[in-house]
């Protein structure tokens, strides 16, 4: 009898030892996920992934809340001071720098290693790394390229511009020829957005300069910046609707979507916009690399946006967040997510470009050239102001409308370009001091 | 022992105090707490995100008062308030007088005219932004097609038009409230006074000055106080239509305070601006109320 009891006891201990780890591995808890993918198909693919994850993990609840990027910034900054933050969220590269600065997010290196560090494009990882620690997982990337209308170039017997001067000539020709029906090249200077900063950055980067110096100071008075300011002011005066002085990103993009802008600078998101607004133009749009200073000059820099996901330090269930992120990267969910804005969101993984499931998409096939241009541009790009690594100053450079106000002052108040640039540089440097 | 009236007066009325306690608490939480917090933060280096901050004395006030943009925004704010208030009073008063006169469809017209006030400001701002858009806007294109202007007018980007455009939208939005209040005041004027004046041979203008104006003066005065505060503090319409631009032409103090508090996250400095704004508005209100008291005494 004694032997039997001992045997049963041993068996039960053995069984418990086998079952316990399985139980411990079972995820349990609730997480809140904030993201900014408010458009229909993107929202739906993320929701489907969350639903399937919850079905596979019945004790997990994922609550998704969506905000536009503008609202998202206000939401997380105020949420941080009041302690009202989610468990995980999407973010913009500049946000990540600020989040790291405020010690608000956790390192992601173990998760990146688990997914496969070699699979990720290296540049986005570097952009989110501080002191050797990576704080965000790249979700998708896109780069700014020059979009044009093939039919208009053909109509006016123009080549795709390769330099800024060629672009000016082509835009002038189209504006004149279309007599107000189509603008040659609209230039957006509206406050409340970063568009003027972005356009100036295009020109400055093509000259190998940067808007932020290596030591984090504003650099608006370099020769490249002065030339860039003059270039865009002239382009605005000659080829832009007057109202574009107030244009934000959507106003500017809408002009192209509706076929009223011949040249525009944007990512692959243009395709979806044109499809929704003017599907008859879908066969006439394409993109090319950013113009350069001269035909022979090298490509010295571009603007890339790498959209990552972060896990907040206050999360009570970071292991659920990590598991969900890993789940999201499975082909069954990640590829439909990328396909929800084909060519607009390019994969964070190196190997997706050769993945048959990804390439099977009709839009991806149709706009293969655009995808190649954007992918190539991504290799030489960074976020604005991040050319020397992640800096909190980059956030202020793009969010404070200093460069937008500078352009408006030059156009409306006839302020001299050099004076306006100096004032903008001083204002930015003064703002940077608030970071200390 | 008999309780005298004197004893009753001396005894504190606890029950009465308990009755008003919830209202006092709500008032404290919703009104006084934010005001005190703003005053407190205005003397600190409070940052929107960073948790730690320290007492900095009058530093924030010195920084604000030595910033030329503050004075520029203040003057824009004064202009914005004066023009908007004058326009709203003029339109509201005229509409109320007209509605008071007509006999048919009064209720229907009153309902129609109050519509702008009933809309949320986001709807109003976005609608006007679209109507007056310099590329697709219905009004600018129509003006050009009718030959009234040779080029499409740029209501939001032409520095000579943008401020006037904002004031126009604000007048359109605010006049109905003035109209409804003045209309109700007009309806309270006893008809027999007009009849007596008519018998005495008074002209319409004399009746208006001697009967109508004294009766509605207090209502108009109170409306002026309230509207001055609301217009001076208004943020949404300007923010949604122009964001304070172009080139800061339409930046008022609330927009300026927002840019400091939410833009560069200097909540302490932003609080100092709001405290200065509060002090200014209290002074204006004191002036108004003095005038209102004078009118009331004259009327009585």
């Amino acid at each position: 009898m004694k032997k039997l009891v001992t045997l049963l006891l041993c068996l039960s201990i053995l069984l418990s030892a086998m079952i316990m780890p399985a139980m411990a591995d079972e995820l349990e808890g609730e997480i809140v996920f904030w993201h900014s993918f408010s458009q229909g198909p993107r929202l739906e693919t993320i929701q489907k992934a969350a639903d399937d994850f919850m079905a596979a993990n019945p004790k997990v609840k994922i609550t998704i809340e969506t905000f536009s990027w503008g609202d998202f910034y206000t939401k997380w900054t105020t949420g941080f001071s009041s302690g009202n933050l989610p468990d995980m969220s999407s973010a913009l590269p500049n946000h990540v720098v600020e989040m790291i600065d405020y010690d608000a997010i956790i390192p992601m290196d173990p998760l990146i290693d688990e997914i496969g560090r070699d699979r990720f494009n290296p540049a986005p990882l570097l952009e989110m790394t501080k002191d050797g620690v990576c704080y965000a997982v790249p979700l998708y990337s896109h780069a700014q390229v020059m979009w044009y209308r093939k039919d208009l170039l053909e109509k006016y017997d123009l080549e795709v511009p390769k330099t800024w001067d060629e672009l000016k000539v082509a835009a002038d020709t189209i504006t004149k020829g279309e007599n107000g029906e189509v603008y040659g090249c609209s230039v957006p200077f509206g406050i409340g957005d970063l568009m003027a900063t972005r356009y100036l950055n295009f020109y400055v980067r093509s000259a190998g300069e940067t808007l932020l110096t290596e030591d984090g100071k504003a650099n608006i008075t370099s020769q490249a910046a002065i030339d860039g300011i003059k270039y865009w002011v002239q382009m605005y005066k000659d080829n832009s609707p007057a109202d574009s002085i107030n244009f934000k990103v959507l106003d500017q993009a809408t002009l192209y979507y509706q076929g009223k802008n011949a040249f525009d600078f944007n990512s692959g998101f243009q395709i979806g916009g044109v499809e929704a607004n003017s599907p008859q133009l879908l066969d006439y749009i394409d993109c090319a690399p950013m113009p350069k200073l001269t035909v022979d000059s090298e490509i010295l820099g571009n603007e890339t946006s790498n959209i990552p996901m972060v896990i907040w330090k206050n999360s009570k269930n970071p292991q659920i967040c990590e598991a969900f992120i890993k789940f999201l990267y499975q082909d069954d969910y990640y590829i439909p997510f990328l396909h929800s804005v084909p060519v607009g969101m390019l994969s964070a993984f190196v190997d997706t470009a050769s993945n048959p499931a990804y390439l099977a998409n009709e839009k991806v096939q149709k706009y293969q050239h655009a995808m190649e241009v954007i992918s190539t541009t991504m290799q030489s790009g960074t976020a604005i102001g991040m050319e020397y690594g992640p800096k909190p100053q980059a956030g202020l450079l793009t969010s404070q409308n200093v460069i937008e106000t500078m352009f408006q002052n030059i156009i409306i108040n006839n302020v001299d370009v050099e004076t306006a640039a100096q004032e903008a540089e001083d204002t930015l440097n003064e703002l940077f001091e608030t970071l200390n | 022992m008999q309780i005298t009236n004197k004893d009753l007066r001396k005894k504190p009325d606890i029950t009465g105090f308990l009755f008003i306690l919830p209202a006092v608490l709500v008032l404290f939480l919703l009104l006084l707490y934010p005001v005190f917090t703003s005053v407190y933060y205005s003397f600190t280096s409070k940052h929107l995100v960073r948790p730690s901050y320290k007492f900095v004395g009058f530093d924030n006030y010195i920084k604000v008062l030595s910033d030329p943009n503050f004075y520029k925004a203040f003057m824009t704010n004064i202009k914005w308030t004066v023009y908007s208030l004058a326009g709203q009073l003029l339109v509201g008063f005229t509409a109320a007088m007209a509605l008071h006169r007509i006999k048919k469809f009064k209720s229907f017209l009153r309902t129609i005219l109050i519509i702008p006030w009933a809309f949320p400001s986001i709807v109003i701002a976005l609608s006007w932004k679209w109507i007056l858009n310099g590329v697709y806007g219905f009004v600018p294109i129509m003006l050009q097609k009718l030959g009234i202007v040779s080029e499409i007018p740029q209501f939001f980007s032409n520095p000579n038009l943008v401020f006037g455009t904002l004031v126009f939208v604000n007048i359109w939005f605010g006049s109905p409230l003035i109209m409804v209040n003045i209309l109700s005041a007009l309806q309270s004027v006893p008809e027999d006074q007009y009849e007596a004046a008519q018998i005495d041979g008074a002209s319409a203008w004399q009746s208006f000055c001697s009967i109508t104006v004294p009766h509605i003066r207090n209502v108009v005065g109170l409306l002026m106080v309230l509207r001055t505060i609301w217009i001076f503090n208004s943020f949404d319409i300007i923010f949604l239509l122009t964001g304070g631009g172009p080139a800061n032409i339409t930046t008022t103090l609330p927009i300026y305070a927002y840019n400091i508090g939410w833009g560069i996250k200097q909540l302490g400095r932003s609080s100092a601006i709001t405290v200065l704004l509060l002090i200014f508005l209290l002074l204006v209100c004191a002036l108004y109320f003095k005038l209102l008291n004078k009118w009331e005494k004259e009327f009585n």
Side-chain angles (χ1 to χ4, degrees), chain A residues 78-107:
Chain A
T78 48
F80 183 76
S81 50
S82 63
N84 180 24
L85 283 169
D87 296 85
M88 60 179 279
S89 70
S90 57
L92 288 175
N94 287 337
H95 294 181
V96 176
V97 180
E98 282 192 64
M99 290 165 186
I100 297 171
D101 201 35
Y102 300 139
D103 192 24
I105 50 179
I106 63 168

Side-chain angles (χ1 to χ4, degrees), chain A residues 87-88 126 149 245 298 335-336 349 376 433:
Chain A
D87 296 85
M88 60 179 279
L126 208 63
R149 286 266 303 276
I245 199 162
E298 283 176 54
I335 288 176
F349 295 139
T376 311
E433 280 172 25

Side-chain angles (χ1 to χ4, degrees), chain B residues 9 18 28 36 42 62 68 72 115 189 214 217 219-220 227 235 238 244 251 287 296:
Chain B
R9 274 198 298 274
L18 285 174
F28 179 80
F36 286 140
S42 73
I62 293 165
K72 205 177 155 199
I115 282 176
V189 182
R217 200 163 53 179
V219 172
V220 173
R227 292 303 297 156
F235 172 83
I238 302 178
T251 298
L287 207 73
E296 208 164 343

Side-chain angles (χ1 to χ4, degrees), chain A residues 40-51:
Chain A
R42 290 204 288 179
L43 186 73
E44 285 157 21
T45 49
I46 294 277
Q47 187 62 57
K48 185 179 182 315
D51 291 343

